[in-house]
Every structure is written in structure tokens, then in C-alpha cells.
Amino acid sequence: MEAAITILALLFVAFIALGVYATVKAVGAAKRGVDRTITQARRTVEDTTLRAKSFGQTGVAGELAQLRLALRTSMRATQDALQAGVAEDSSLAESVGLFRRLSAHGLELDDELKRLEREPDRATVAALLPQLKERTQRITHSADSLRWAARDRARQFADDDLDALNAQIDIEAGALRHWTVEEQRPQQASGAASQGPGAGARRAHDAGVDWPEPTAGAGNSSTADESWGGPAREEAPQAITAPDPHLRTRYPWQKAARPETTN
């Protein structure tokens, strides 16, 4: 009985501790969300104010507002680009570290510009404007270089992936159209067969070799000399006699002629 009471007490304490932990985590998350919302709202209001000052005011105040707006816009865009890229490309971690060091200089310059906005001595602020512009340009140029380098790297990876995907799709499309290859093979075979027995002579003639044409009669020794460039010889007239069946060309499948009897 005492063991059961002890177990129940321990479970009760564990549930209470778990509830307290969950409450603390929820309150912390809610506080961070509220802080993030307040920071975002404050940033939006400040950016809107700077835009209004840069367009509505002239002189030193307007130039200071333009410098702050250019600095904040460049740094925020670079921060967003690097944070989005480092999640997919771990090699950007070094670039993120460099941007953090650059952000320290940017925040210091932004605070200085913000203090100079409330400075009543406008002549002194006007004398400092060339130096402030140079510092702002150096910081924004470095931030822009990091941002565009990260974007170019992501674009190059996307192009390489697209090229590899296109090559794989072409291979797959060719494999799906396998019947076109099978149709081309019979066409090539039929084209080679349709050339006939004289294809070899025509190919030799195309290659620059002239071969004499065969004569009509196997036993006639006077052949035409046109293929060698000489004049054609006239064939001698033949007697009109019936062909001798014994001189006909024999083929292996024909039967041999019977010898004539001398009775």
C-alpha cells in the first residue's frame, strides 16, 4: 500500500513538473513571438519614416536619411539572401560569418547616422557627410557583393541541375521511343538490298575508280575501250543462226544434256 502511494506521489510530481516546463516553454515562445513582432513593426515604422524624410526633407537631414535607408536596405537584403541560401548550401556558412562582422560595422554606422540626425550643429554634420557617404558605400558594396555572389551560386546550381535533368529526360524519351530505332533498321536493310548487284560498281565509280563494263559475249575478245578514254570499236556482224543448245550457259540445277547417238 505504501509503495502504491509513493508511485502515485511520484507520478503527480512528474506531471506537475512537466506542466510547469511546458508552460515556461509556451510563455517563452510567446514572448519571443511578441518581441519579434514588435521589432518588425518598429523596423517598418522606422523605414517608412526614413523614406518620408529622404523624399520630404532637403539638406543635411535628407542626406542622412538617404544614407540610413540605403544602408539598412542593403544589409537586410543580404541577410535574407544568406539565411535562405545557407539552409540549402552549407558552404555559405563562411559568408554568413563575414556578414556578421560586416553587420557590426553597419550597425555602428547606423547608430552614428541616427545620432547625427538629432545634432543641432548642421555645419559640423555637413562637414562629416563626405566621410559618412564613403563609409556607407564601402559597407553597402561589400554587402551587395556577398548577396549577388550567393544568388549567382544558387542560380548556377539550379542551371547545372536543370542540364542534368534535361539529359536524363532525353535519354528516357529515347528509351520510350524504342520502336523508331527498330523501324530504321529494316529501312536501312531494304535500302542496301534495293541497290542491286551493280551497287559495287557504282560505289567504285563514285570512289574514283573506273572499271570496264563486261562484254555481252563470253568468248568475244574485242571489248569496248570507252572506259579507258579510247574510241568505241564497232562489233562485227554476226550470222543469223540458231543458237547452239550445247553452248548455252549451264546452271547447277539443270540436267546434263544427253549425248547424241551416231546411229
Side-chain angles (χ1 to χ4, degrees):
M1 188 63 180
E2 294 179 357
I5 295 174
T6 304
I7 293 174
L8 291 175
L10 292 175
L11 289 176
F12 180 74
V13 172
F15 283 131
I16 291 177
L18 183 61
V20 171
Y21 176 78
T23 303
V24 171
K25 295 292 288 185
V27 170
K31 185 178 182 299
R32 286 192 299 271
V34 172
D35 294 340
R36 191 182 304 111
T37 303
I38 293 175
T39 302
Q40 185 67 26
R42 186 185 296 114
R43 183 183 303 168
T44 302
V45 172
E46 193 170 2
D47 291 344
T48 304
T49 304
L50 289 175
R51 287 190 179 91
K53 289 182 180 180
S54 62
F55 290 109
Q57 294 183 358
T58 58
V60 177
E63 292 183 1
L64 290 175
Q66 292 177 2
L67 291 178
R68 287 192 65 195
L69 184 62
L71 177 64
R72 292 165 66 91
T73 303
S74 177
M75 298 297 287
R76 187 177 299 116
T78 304
Q79 181 180 3
D80 295 340
L82 291 178
Q83 287 180 353
V86 75
E88 299 179 356
D89 187 4
S90 59
S91 60
L92 293 178
E94 185 176 357
S95 300
V96 173
L98 292 175
F99 177 74
R100 289 175 181 172
R101 295 172 57 186
L102 183 65
S103 296
H105 295 278
L107 292 174
E108 181 181 358
L109 177 60
D110 185 67
D111 292 338
E112 184 176 357
L113 292 173
K114 190 175 182 179
R115 288 193 302 269
L116 292 176
E117 286 180 351
R118 298 186 295 268
E119 177 64 37
D121 189 0
R122 295 300 179 182
T124 304
V125 176
L128 294 176
L129 276 178
Q131 181 182 0
L132 296 173
K133 288 181 180 179
E134 183 183 359
R135 289 178 59 188
T136 304
Q137 291 177 356
R138 292 176 61 186
I139 294 175
T140 55
H141 175 71
S142 299
D144 294 342
S145 299
L146 282 176
R147 181 175 68 255
W148 284 110
R151 290 178 178 176
D152 292 341
R153 181 179 179 86
R155 188 182 302 110
Q156 183 63 36
F157 284 164
D159 292 340
D160 293 342
D161 185 49
L162 182 59
D163 292 340
L165 180 60
N166 289 335
Q168 293 178 1
I169 290 176
D170 292 339
I171 295 174
E172 182 65 19
L176 292 176
R177 295 192 185 98
H178 61 87
W179 64 87
T180 57
V181 180
E182 296 177 356
E183 289 177 357
Q184 290 177 359
R185 291 177 180 175
Q187 290 178 359
Q188 294 176 356
S190 61
S194 62
Q195 293 179 356
R202 286 195 297 271
R203 287 194 297 269
H205 184 272
D206 294 338
V209 181
D210 293 333
W211 298 97
E213 296 291 337
T215 58
N220 191 4
S221 61
S222 61
T223 58
D225 201 18
E226 293 180 354
S227 60
W228 297 98
R233 298 180 182 177
E234 298 182 356
E235 296 182 356
Q238 298 179 356
I240 304 175
T241 56
D244 190 358
H246 298 285
L247 298 179
R248 293 180 180 177
T249 305
R250 300 183 181 276
Y251 298 94
W253 61 83
Q254 293 180 347
K255 296 181 180 181
R258 296 180 179 178
E260 297 181 356
T261 59
T262 55
N263 292 337

XYZ file of all heavy atoms in Angstrom, residues 14 16 22 74 76 110 141 150 165 175 199 209 244:
91
model
N 5.728 14.365 -11.179
C 6.229 14.386 -12.561
C 5.282 15.151 -13.473
O 5.709 15.944 -14.331
C 6.423 12.958 -13.057
N 3.234 17.523 -12.586
C 3.317 18.947 -12.252
C 4.574 19.571 -12.870
O 4.528 20.668 -13.457
C 3.307 19.137 -10.722
C 1.924 18.774 -10.152
C 3.659 20.576 -10.359
C 1.848 18.863 -8.646
N 6.256 22.835 -19.692
C 5.523 23.183 -20.913
C 5.016 24.615 -20.847
O 5.032 25.353 -21.855
C 4.358 22.213 -21.124
N 20.268 47.557 -47.946
C 21.291 46.639 -48.452
C 21.611 45.543 -47.442
O 21.702 44.355 -47.792
C 22.555 47.423 -48.813
O 23.586 46.553 -49.236
N 19.734 44.409 -44.955
C 18.614 43.497 -44.738
C 18.461 42.524 -45.913
O 18.200 41.331 -45.711
C 17.328 44.294 -44.531
C 16.140 43.426 -44.131
C 14.913 44.274 -43.865
N 15.143 45.208 -42.776
C 15.137 46.537 -42.912
N 14.915 47.084 -44.096
N 15.341 47.302 -41.875
N 25.024 52.972 -38.587
C 23.623 53.355 -38.490
C 23.344 54.125 -37.200
O 22.601 55.130 -37.202
C 22.745 52.107 -38.568
C 21.270 52.447 -38.598
O 20.813 53.043 -39.599
O 20.568 52.095 -37.625
N 28.647 48.194 -50.572
C 29.291 47.475 -51.679
C 29.686 46.059 -51.251
O 29.476 45.097 -52.007
C 30.528 48.247 -52.135
C 31.319 47.531 -53.196
N 30.873 47.377 -54.501
C 32.527 46.897 -53.132
C 31.763 46.700 -55.199
N 32.776 46.392 -54.391
N 26.081 34.970 -53.581
C 25.221 33.876 -53.116
C 24.116 33.577 -54.125
O 23.791 32.417 -54.393
C 24.617 34.228 -51.757
N 18.993 17.219 -65.527
C 17.621 16.724 -65.659
C 17.208 16.638 -67.119
O 16.556 15.667 -67.539
C 16.672 17.651 -64.887
C 15.186 17.269 -64.916
C 14.966 15.891 -64.315
C 14.368 18.318 -64.169
N 14.427 6.117 -74.854
C 14.091 4.743 -74.478
C 12.601 4.458 -74.661
O 12.209 3.347 -75.043
C 14.495 4.490 -73.024
N 25.602 -2.203 -107.386
C 25.938 -1.200 -106.380
C 27.434 -1.119 -106.160
O 27.984 -0.057 -105.919
C 25.237 -1.519 -105.068
N 37.300 5.142 -109.217
C 37.883 4.000 -109.919
C 36.952 3.624 -111.044
O 35.766 3.380 -110.814
C 38.096 2.797 -108.974
C 38.722 1.646 -109.733
C 38.973 3.209 -107.809
N 23.327 -22.562 -130.538
C 23.646 -23.957 -130.260
C 23.251 -24.276 -128.826
O 23.734 -23.638 -127.892
C 25.134 -24.188 -130.463
C 25.472 -25.678 -130.414
O 24.547 -26.473 -130.180
O 26.655 -26.008 -130.589
